Amino acid sequence: MTFSQYGDYFYLYILLLTMIPAIILGLREKSTKYYGMIATIFMIFLIVGVNVSLKFLIAFIVMEVAVIKGYEYVRKKTDSKLIYRLFLLASMSPIIINKISPLTSFGAIGFIGISYLNFRAIQMVIEIYDGAIKEVKISTMLYFILFFPTLSSGPIDRSRRFEKELEKKIPRDEYINDYLIPGFKKIFMGIGYKFVIAFMINIFLMSRIPSKPSFTSVICYMYTYSLYLFFDFGGYSLFAVGTSYIFGIQAPDNFNKPFLSKDMKEFWTRWHISLSRWFGDYIFSRFVIASMRKKRFKKRATASHVAQMITMLVMGAWHGLTWYYIAYGVYQGLVLVLTDIYQKKSKFYKKHKKEKWFEIVQIVVTFHIACFGLLIFSGHYA
């Protein structure tokens, strides 16, 4: 028997029982690190189950430990880019296999949360190459990658930040005010988002839209699905972040009122924040910097636009190799490029961008653009 993480009240009941020792440790100013590791193993068995998915998870962990520790050793001997890329490719191979396997006769190969776990491992290989990570402790690395509150729904944390929080001694008052109370607030918000608002949108609105496509049904589905996805996924994220707080880790927030964004560039700083930052740091920024260094383009703006297209195309493919995910990536890339061009060249925009009425107009327009993108993402009419 397996449980959908944060998917029903019974799982939340088990989660609450699991939290009690962590709360006691926090109130007594003791580290939750070792209890958190035990809780993570227990929750993995509940979420992943004792089946073929667990075997895939174990194989993934063994391979990633070998790759990360192997590259840590090799990096001290050489800074060869070829060797780095080979280790990076090895680290990326699980998510590549996971995305390609549904298109083969073998069927899907992987386990729940593989993307989030793999991104954490890939990030460590990159930062070992950069020199930001000098030493990798296997126990800490395993806890970082497998940390159960963020197993299936993120957010995608960074290893150095996680380790710093893990080793921090938290006074009782600080634990209560900065971890325990905010953690439960986020969990209760998650209950409201997922089990109340998202549930009502699904039952009373989305499920009643005719499946046969028409202009009206498509428009209705576009807005209801966008709101449903936000409150459902936002709820998952609040659960994950809130639980992390209880266990002494202030995991980064994943959503920040995205539908109040004034343009799509701002939208991606508010929607699935940890994922967009990961792609921004490890794909977009690195492509732009490398392009300018190698003089691939005459203008930095061109490098930025190409990087935006590549980043969003990869993000689309990360969700899956079906045509609508790829189309979603292309759409988001084009929107970002066109937004950048408009803001740089439009005299009207430059003249009015700080005026309140224009900000409201931008929010409304951005909301529609974002919702159309999520309609593509849904693949509902594919």
Side-chain angles (χ1 to χ4, degrees):
M1 181 179 181
T2 59
F3 293 89
S4 172
Q5 191 172 28
Y6 311 122
D8 55 53
Y9 286 111
F10 187 55
Y11 176 84
L12 295 184
Y13 171 71
I14 295 174
L15 179 64
L16 179 60
L17 295 179
T18 308
M19 286 178 181
I20 293 172
I23 294 170
I24 293 171
L25 288 169
L27 293 175
R28 295 186 63 190
E29 301 185 2
K30 303 293 185 181
S31 172
T32 60
K33 176 180 178 179
Y34 297 107
Y35 171 69
M37 291 178 177
I38 295 170
T40 289
I41 294 171
F42 170 70
M43 296 302 276
I44 283 174
F45 279 111
L46 287 184
I47 298 165
V48 178
V50 185
N51 51 38
V52 68
S53 294
L54 182 62
K55 294 178 181 178
F56 285 139
L57 174 58
I58 292 171
F60 165 82
I61 289 299
V62 170
M63 192 202 78
E64 290 296 349
V65 168
V67 169
I68 292 170
K69 288 297 291 182
Y71 189 59
E72 177 198 11
Y73 174 79
V74 170
R75 182 65 181 86
K76 294 174 182 177
K77 308 291 183 181
T78 178
D79 62 354
S80 166
K81 284 191 175 182
L82 175 61
I83 293 175
Y84 159 64
R85 286 167 181 164
L86 289 173
F87 273 93
L88 184 61
L89 180 61
S91 182
M92 293 169 58
S93 60
I95 196 171
I96 294 172
I97 293 170
N98 177 253
K99 298 304 175 184
I100 293 175
S101 61
L103 305 178
T104 69
S105 58
F106 295 102
I109 298 174
F111 52 88
I112 187 169
I114 184 173
S115 297
Y116 296 105
L117 272 59
N118 207 174
F119 276 177
R120 293 167 197 163
I122 292 168
Q123 169 253 313
M124 293 189 73
V125 173
I126 294 172
E127 295 202 345
I128 290 171
Y129 174 75
D130 290 344
I133 296 177
K134 302 292 185 183
E135 181 182 1
V136 177
K137 298 176 184 177
I138 292 180
S139 61
T140 303
M141 175 185 67
L142 289 175
Y143 190 38
F144 164 67
I145 293 176
L146 294 172
F147 187 52
F148 88 86
T150 60
L151 181 70
S152 66
S153 58
I156 306 167
D157 209 344
R158 304 299 173 88
S159 60
R160 286 180 293 151
R161 196 206 70 81
F162 183 90
E163 185 172 357
K164 185 178 179 181
E165 289 244 325
L166 193 62
E167 302 303 329
K168 177 182 176 183
K169 182 173 176 59
I170 307 171
R172 184 173 184 274
D173 288 345
E174 183 180 347
Y175 178 74
I176 293 172
N177 295 321
D178 296 342
Y179 291 83
L180 186 62
I181 293 174
F184 274 115
K185 281 183 178 178
K186 290 177 185 296
I187 290 170
F188 283 121
M189 282 181 64
I191 291 172
Y193 272 36
K194 178 172 176 56
F195 293 115
V196 179
I197 301 176
F199 175 80
M200 291 178 68
I201 291 173
N202 184 37
I203 295 297
F204 297 111
L205 295 174
M206 198 160 67
S207 64
R208 298 186 180 187
I209 298 172
S211 57
K212 185 177 180 181
S214 66
F215 178 79
T216 302
S217 64
V218 170
I219 293 298
C220 289
Y221 187 84
M222 179 174 78
Y223 293 115
T224 53
Y225 174 78
S226 296
L227 293 174
Y228 169 78
L229 182 63
F230 167 68
F231 285 109
D232 186 67
F233 191 20
Y236 273 110
S237 295
L238 284 165
F239 284 133
V241 175
T243 306
S244 299
Y245 273 51
I246 303 297
F247 278 81
I249 301 292
Q250 291 182 329
D253 288 319
N254 229 5
F255 292 89
N256 180 23
K257 302 173 184 175
F259 293 131
L260 295 181
S261 304
K262 292 187 288 294
D263 58 60
M264 288 302 291
K265 290 190 292 184
E266 183 182 343
F267 178 83
W268 281 107
T269 67
R270 292 169 171 262
W271 176 276
H272 209 334
I273 300 168
S274 64
L275 179 69
S276 57
R277 283 180 179 170
W278 197 98
F279 276 96
D281 289 346
Y282 298 118
I283 298 180
F284 175 82
S285 296
R286 288 168 186 267
F287 180 86
V288 172
I289 292 170
S291 295
M292 298 309 296
R293 186 183 299 128
K294 296 178 181 179
K295 298 181 179 180
R296 292 172 180 156
F297 309 100
K298 291 182 179 179
K299 297 180 179 179
R300 183 182 179 87
T302 305
S304 178
H305 293 161
V306 173
Q308 285 170 329
M309 291 300 303
I310 292 172
T311 301
M312 288 299 162
L313 186 58
V314 173
M315 185 180 286
W318 170 72
H319 285 97
L321 297 180
T322 52
W323 73 264
Y324 48 86
Y325 287 137
I326 303 301
Y328 173 74
V330 172
Y331 171 81
Q332 293 294 345
L334 286 172
V335 166
L336 289 173
V337 170
L338 292 173
T339 297
D340 190 55
I341 293 172
Y342 165 72
Q343 291 180 348
K344 286 180 178 178
K345 294 190 175 183
S346 171
K347 294 180 180 179
F348 181 84
Y349 170 79
K350 291 176 181 178
K351 180 180 179 181
H352 299 288
K353 65 180 181 179
K354 293 185 179 180
E355 296 179 24
K356 191 65 179 179
W357 69 269
F358 189 59
E359 288 183 354
I360 294 172
V361 169
Q362 289 182 98
I363 290 171
V364 173
V365 170
T366 302
F367 174 71
H368 295 313
I369 293 172
C371 288
F372 184 74
L374 293 173
L375 173 66
I376 299 172
F377 174 83
S378 73
H380 184 68
Y381 295 102

